[in-house]
Amino acid sequence: LLLGVTPVSRAGLSEQVETWIRRGVVAVVALTILVSVYALAAILYRTVDFGFTINRVIVIGWNLINTTALGFMLSGLLRKPRETWVETLQEVYSRLSVVYLAWTVLVVVFIPLIFR
């Protein structure tokens, strides 16, 4: 959702439209962080009670990566100048794509070996 609504550039957007898109992005990021933290707490609770499984390890990893990405997005949106909000989001997408790729390789190649 966030990737889809982030404009490629600010050119061609009226100030009013840009303001509302940015506000919407900030709201979605903030609310998604809350949901992600709640989901992480739930999966960690189950893991402590019932132990590690391949699915729990994968979900914990994805959740940590997503929550971290959202935290970087929110931090950048709130701390950096309003004029650079699009570039801030694009920078986070760019940097974390490497992390998503690395986790995917771990999930596909190494996690099955660990849980044999």
Side-chain angles (χ1 to χ4, degrees):
L1 174 67
L2 292 170
L3 188 61
V5 299
T6 303
V8 175
S9 72
R10 293 176 55 225
L13 292 176
S14 71
E15 187 175 330
Q16 185 178 14
V17 169
E18 181 184 345
T19 298
W20 282 105
I21 292 174
R22 185 177 179 279
R23 287 177 183 168
V25 168
V26 169
V28 169
V29 169
L31 292 171
T32 307
I33 288 172
L34 291 174
V35 172
S36 294
V37 169
Y38 179 80
L40 182 60
I43 193 71
L44 289 174
Y45 177 81
R46 288 185 195 101
T47 303
V48 168
D49 274 359
F50 304 110
F52 285 99
T53 65
I54 190 168
N55 289 343
R56 287 188 186 122
V57 170
I58 292 169
V59 169
I60 289 169
W62 278 115
N63 196 297
L64 287 172
I65 292 168
N66 287 329
T67 306
T68 302
L70 292 164
F72 282 129
M73 286 180 197
L74 188 60
S75 172
L77 287 168
L78 296 178
R79 289 183 317 136
K80 293 188 178 177
R82 182 178 177 267
E83 294 78 27
T84 63
W85 74 275
V86 172
E87 293 81 9
T88 299
L89 289 179
Q90 291 171 348
E91 182 181 327
V92 172
Y93 297 147
S94 174
R95 289 181 183 206
L96 286 169
S97 64
V98 176
V99 178
Y100 284 116
L101 177 64
W103 182 248
T104 301
V105 169
L106 284 170
V107 165
V108 172
V109 177
F110 295 108
I111 299 260
L113 296 174
I114 294 170
F115 283 91
R116 291 203 305 158

